[in-house]
Amino acid sequence: MPPAAETTSPAATALSLLFEPVGSWWLVLLVAMGLAAALYFVGPDRSRIDGFRLRCLVGLRVAAFLAIVVCMLRPTVVAQRQLQQEGELLILADASESMTVADAPAGQTRWQHLVTSLEAAEPEARELLQAGGLRLRLWRFDRGLVSVPVTNEDPFALASEWEKGEGSEETALGAALDEAVQTADFESLAGVVVLSDGAQHAYPPRDLPPQTVARRLGESGIPLWSVLFGQQRSGSQGRDVDVVQLSVADDVFVKTKVEVTGRVRMSGLANREVMLRLLVEDADGEMQEVAQSILKSSGPDVEQTVRLTWQPDQPGERKVALVVDPLEGETVITNNQLSSFVNVIDGGLQVVYLEGALRVEQRFLRRSLAASPDMQVDFRWIDASERGDWPVDISEMLTDDVDVFLIGDLDASALSPEQLALINDRVGQGAGLGLLGGLHAFEAGGWGSTPLQPALPFERDPLSRQAFGQPVRESLHVRGPVKMLPDARFGGLSILRLADTPAENLAAWNELPALEGANVLGQLAPAARPLAVSENGVPLLVAKSYGTGRVAALAVDSTWRWVMQGADRPYRTFWRQFIFWLASRDDIGDDSLWVRPGQRRISAGTPLAFNAGLRHADGAAVEDAVLQAEAIAPDGTKRPVRLVREGDSWAGQLTDCSTPGDWTIAATAAREGQEVASRVARFTVFRQDLEMANPVANGLVMRQLAEETGQEPQPAEDLAAIFEQLLERPVVYESEAEWSWSLWDSWPMLLVTIALMSTEWFLRKRWGLA
């Protein structure tokens, strides 16, 4: 902190003698009386010395006793001097980039208006300085605070043209005001003058609200005068295109169309066209244009929603950006783009799931399949109450890239023969077909009488049809409870593997809860094999090959009971293997590490939370995994990140991400001390052009600052009135300087006491009295 204001001539000096007796005055009096009594009754032997020597000894004793009494009184001489000090007036001039906006009178920029206003008030400022008793301290501020020299001849030495500084892209009004006040002598602070457009644009930790400092000044009775520069108007200050939103799925699949949506705000561009481009990072890290769209603004301030599509052809994490071409005369171009990241997954199975009843089984099944990152389920509910419109058209779902068709509790009449023939052909060419139990499943739904009949693992039986609106035919169902167990002859396939050895696998199936019932599959096709049966041998899971594809009929529809009774992992494992077996991909894969940032785009200085975990191929968490992570800044700097276990996953938080650019979270997983997987995830840290993105003058903030101290905002042309007010009513600041000297606890007093007592003893010895 700088030294206090300079001291002028003293106003007054006062001397005083203070006593602080030991114990109390009564104690000192009692001791004094005791010493006097001792002096009187225990005096020198008068018969052995003459009168002169007697007087010498008595005088020395009296002096020693008085010294002791004085020490007990503890006298202190105090000198007080009152001094008059100079007061301080702080002037803060906003030098941030928003002060370059040319909305001041006569086409001036705000900075030019500020400088000319100070120049107009220079005569009053000089007169105030020459009068004495007050000195000016001038500061210019943006993100930081810089002192400007002040002299009587040139009190406001500011450049007439604005100069860009290191912190010009921010306005830390509150932090600058707080620092300027802290550098001053608070006791002699006459006031503060803030010259600004009132825009507080700063990132943490420089984002202190200026009202907080103004409130502290007001509580101390220190005035703050605010002078606003710039126009208070809403809307755009000129032409500007701002990409304000970008949305895209976190995980997408190779060769699957991905929709990228966004919102673009166009200001000051009525009836103008702008070019929007979708850029995607390729395998070499280069941004390539994959789609574009022309937007046209229908008014002066319009916001439009845009949708562009892209089809990834390679797996990996990819950066995605919406970019608008800069326009002529556009003030701010840093807001012309937004970016995010997507994870493109290889080998994703395309599953078409057709269901005729929104039952519990389909809800659990869809949730389980969605938990697998390498499956994409296209679900369609075909409502039986609308069967008057059957057959429905599902041609858009029957694409060549479908790997598995799942058909739930659906009657065959819901689909046209042409569509069923197409499914039959796709299965023969390598796709999988799974039929699930239900009231209208299998022959109860008439599937054996359709073009799918050659692929089915059961024989046609027209007499087993379940009509709509009729009682359930009990003969088509097996009453529960029903245990599903691997068939001893054919149940060793991966589709039913829950443990490593056959004995352990059978034990795992025996531990699963019983099911509510099952369909009767009827006569099996010659090539069909029962993979799972009930305890009494009823086929529950039957499979066959058809062409190069696979077909399976699962006669149950209550496997959700496994989840409800705690067998969640066996449930997920079974259904995942069921789908992979149908797709002819029997290997369920290795454990996979995942990293999921809470956001893919954050502003500089904002903390980022993220989660990570290691999971088995069936989606279950690996419980004995130990994860570590580090953050990699855009310049390659690395720093470790602390991870905390939270249930089945790990949580971490990144702080102090202040460097703009693409950051990376690199995670590794280890089991039993050996690294088993690694994964990275990226996110973007952006530093918005705070100053020019919305350079509107904020008169409300300036008014609040002044009113917190009992003042009113001042127009720029009345700046001189502030100096005149201080000149007409000068404030006198006084301080006290105090000096003291303790007479009793100094070394002279000690020497005097010792000298008196030693001299008295020496004389008595010399004169033969001791």
Side-chain angles (χ1 to χ4, degrees):
M1 180 178 292
E6 295 180 1
T7 303
T8 62
S9 59
T13 302
L15 292 175
S16 58
L17 180 62
L18 303 179
F19 294 94
E20 189 178 355
V22 175
S24 66
W25 284 98
W26 291 106
L27 177 61
V28 176
L29 180 59
L30 183 62
V31 172
M33 292 175 63
L35 292 174
L39 181 62
Y40 180 79
F41 293 107
V42 190
D45 189 352
R46 298 172 182 266
S47 63
R48 299 173 61 185
I49 57 175
D50 57 22
F52 172 75
R53 292 181 178 182
L54 177 62
R55 287 192 295 273
C56 286
L57 292 177
V58 172
L60 288 172
R61 290 185 180 186
V62 170
F65 292 166
L66 288 177
I68 293 174
V69 172
V70 168
C71 289
M72 292 187 67
L73 291 174
R74 296 193 290 192
T76 301
V77 177
V78 177
Q80 291 181 319
R81 185 171 56 179
Q82 298 213 345
L83 307 174
Q84 291 183 349
Q85 292 183 324
E86 286 184 329
E88 287 184 322
L89 177 65
L90 305 182
I91 302 177
L92 281 74
D94 189 347
S96 61
E97 193 169 1
S98 63
M99 296 296 287
T100 63
V101 176
D103 60 354
Q108 291 180 307
T109 66
R110 297 172 184 175
W111 176 257
Q112 291 171 337
H113 190 201
L114 184 152
V115 173
T116 56
S117 299
L118 284 175
E119 290 175 349
E122 275 190 5
E124 290 77 9
R126 289 197 191 96
E127 187 177 355
L128 181 62
L129 291 174
Q130 293 169 359
L134 190 70
R135 62 172 177 167
L136 301 182
R137 299 185 68 184
L138 178 61
W139 305 87
R140 53 176 290 165
F141 70 93
D142 39 38
R143 182 174 62 210
L145 185 69
V146 178
S147 177
V148 179
V150 174
T151 64
N152 289 355
E153 295 74 22
D154 190 7
F156 307 126
L158 293 173
S160 59
E161 294 298 328
W162 181 83
E163 298 175 354
K164 186 176 181 63
E166 293 183 0
S168 299
E169 72 277 5
E170 296 181 36
T171 305
L173 176 55
L177 182 58
D178 183 54
E179 291 177 7
V181 170
Q182 289 186 26
T183 61
D185 183 356
F186 204 75
E187 297 297 328
S188 61
L189 186 56
V192 181
V193 180
V194 177
L195 313 174
S196 174
D197 56 14
Q200 164 87 347
H201 295 146
Y203 288 111
R206 302 285 297 171
D207 57 345
L208 175 69
Q211 294 90 337
T212 302
V213 187
R215 190 173 302 115
R216 191 165 72 243
L217 292 173
E219 291 171 352
S220 300
I222 300 173
L224 184 150
W225 296 275
S226 62
V227 182
L228 179 68
F229 294 90
Q231 297 296 320
Q232 304 179 66
R233 63 173 182 268
S234 60
S236 174
Q237 300 287 334
R239 296 177 179 176
D240 185 49
V241 182
D242 185 7
V243 183
V244 296
Q245 184 181 2
L246 183 153
S247 298
V248 63
D250 289 335
D251 299 313
V252 299
F253 295 92
V254 172
K255 298 181 180 179
T256 301
K257 285 188 176 180
V258 179
E259 183 178 73
V260 180
T261 62
R263 293 190 66 81
V264 179
R265 182 185 299 122
M266 294 172 284
S267 303
L269 298 171
N271 300 317
R272 291 285 302 273
E273 292 183 347
V274 297
M275 175 62 73
L276 175 69
R277 306 178 192 273
L278 174 61
L279 306 182
V280 178
E281 184 182 36
D282 62 18
D284 297 326
E286 301 293 331
M287 300 298 291
Q288 304 292 339
E289 180 179 335
V290 297
Q292 61 176 234
S293 177
I294 296 178
L295 308 180
K296 186 173 183 178
S297 177
S298 59
D301 196 353
V302 176
E303 189 170 304
Q304 290 187 15
T305 299
V306 295
R307 291 180 173 84
L308 298 175
T309 59
W310 152 62
Q311 184 168 318
D313 57 2
Q314 292 182 343
E317 190 178 58
R318 297 287 180 263
K319 186 176 184 178
V320 178
L322 286 177
V323 181
V324 174
D325 292 350
L327 301 174
E328 181 181 356
E330 189 175 4
T331 305
V332 182
I333 62 174
T334 55
N335 58 4
N336 283 32
Q337 66 175 345
L338 278 182
S339 61
S340 186
F341 295 91
V342 298
N343 186 33
V344 182
I345 301 172
D346 188 18
L349 293 182
Q350 305 295 313
V351 180
V352 169
Y353 183 7
L354 305 176
E355 181 62 73
L358 294 183
R359 51 192 177 153
V360 178
E361 181 79 337
Q362 64 84 26
R363 185 169 71 250
F364 277 74
L365 176 56
R366 289 169 61 193
R367 185 185 305 163
S368 175
L369 298 182
S372 296
D374 46 7
M375 292 186 194
Q376 185 176 21
V377 180
D378 190 1
F379 177 78
R380 173 76 178 272
W381 172 41
I382 303 177
D383 190 358
S385 65
E386 299 178 356
R387 57 185 178 274
D389 298 329
W390 287 3
V392 297
D393 183 13
I394 62 167
S395 57
E396 76 280 358
M397 303 176 71
L398 304 180
T399 58
D400 292 339
D401 58 354
V402 176
D403 297 293
V404 175
F405 295 93
L406 281 184
I407 298 177
D409 188 9
L410 182 66
D411 194 273
S413 60
L415 305 178
S416 68
E418 293 78 14
Q419 293 172 336
L420 292 172
L422 181 57
I423 294 175
N424 186 78
D425 292 342
R426 290 287 296 110
V427 174
Q429 296 169 7
L433 173 62
L435 297 104
L436 312 180
L439 293 179
H440 293 275
F442 315 120
E443 282 307 274
W447 288 94
S449 302
T450 69
L452 268 182
Q453 194 278 328
L456 300 180
F458 49 83
E459 295 290 351
R460 177 175 178 267
D461 185 5
L463 299 179
S464 298
R465 193 68 183 268
Q466 172 70 54
F468 284 99
Q470 297 298 317
V472 176
R473 298 180 59 182
E474 298 292 339
S475 61
L476 301 181
H477 300 275
V478 178
R479 288 182 175 273
V482 175
K483 275 271 191 180
M484 190 167 84
L485 303 172
D487 186 275
R489 298 165 297 168
F490 311 108
L493 299 180
S494 64
I495 192 172
L496 293 170
R497 189 179 303 135
L498 297 181
D500 295 333
T501 67
E504 292 174 344
N505 191 55
L506 181 60
W509 279 100
N510 271 305
E511 291 177 0
L512 293 179
L515 304 176
E516 294 180 344
N519 288 80
V520 175
L521 293 176
Q523 182 66 36
L524 301 185
R529 295 290 183 269
L531 304 184
V533 295
S534 67
E535 291 177 304
N536 55 4
V538 176
L540 299 180
L541 175 60
V542 177
K544 66 174 283 189
S545 296
Y546 178 67
T548 58
R550 293 175 176 178
V551 182
L554 181 62
V556 299
D557 65 349
S558 57
T559 59
W560 57 269
R561 289 174 53 86
W562 298 345
V563 179
M564 298 301 293
Q565 297 188 44
D568 180 66
R569 183 173 179 182
Y571 175 86
R572 292 198 306 266
T573 300
F574 168 72
W575 277 110
R576 178 181 171 81
Q577 294 173 169
F578 182 81
I579 299 298
F580 268 72
W581 184 89
L582 289 174
S584 301
R585 300 184 187 180
D586 295 14
D587 186 2
I588 65 173
D590 298 325
D591 297 340
S592 62
L593 176 64
W594 56 271
V595 180
R596 187 173 300 116
Q599 301 177 69
R600 290 285 193 166
R601 181 179 173 84
I602 62 172
S603 61
T606 302
L608 175 73
F610 69 94
N611 293 89
L614 186 68
R615 60 189 170 198
H616 296 292
D618 62 359
V622 179
E623 297 180 355
D624 61 345
V626 177
L627 271 63
Q628 293 182 329
E630 63 180 4
I632 305 176
D635 60 2
T637 304
K638 299 180 180 180
R639 66 171 186 258
V641 181
R642 180 173 177 267
L643 297 180
V644 178
R645 190 70 181 258
E646 289 186 354
D648 293 338
S649 64
W650 297 72
Q653 186 174 47
L654 296 176
T655 58
D656 194 25
C657 298
S658 56
T659 305
D662 294 340
W663 287 64
T664 302
I665 303 171
T668 59
R671 300 183 69 182
E672 298 180 353
Q674 298 294 322
E675 183 176 320
V676 296
S678 62
R679 190 64 178 267
V680 299
R682 290 181 291 171
F683 62 96
T684 296
V685 174
F686 68 93
R687 184 177 290 275
Q688 184 180 356
D689 191 343
L690 297 179
E691 284 296 295
M692 303 306 292
N694 184 25
V696 179
N698 195 332
L700 176 60
V701 169
M702 299 296 279
R703 174 172 292 278
Q704 290 173 341
L705 296 184
E707 290 179 348
E708 287 286 355
T709 65
Q711 304 297 317
E712 292 291 331
Q714 300 293 316
E717 55 270 19
D718 290 346
L719 183 58
I722 299 174
F723 305 130
E724 292 175 349
Q725 177 182 341
L726 292 171
L727 186 62
E728 294 172 358
R729 290 179 293 177
V731 182
V732 177
Y733 298 94
E734 295 184 348
S735 65
E736 290 186 353
E738 186 175 274
W739 169 86
S740 63
W741 179 44
S742 298
L743 301 176
W744 58 277
D745 63 347
S746 60
W747 63 267
M749 191 61 158
L750 178 62
L751 290 180
V752 169
T753 305
I754 294 175
L756 290 172
M757 297 179 70
S758 300
T759 302
E760 191 270 346
W761 180 85
F762 173 76
L763 292 178
R764 284 192 297 112
K765 184 76 173 176
R766 183 178 180 83
W767 293 337
L769 299 177

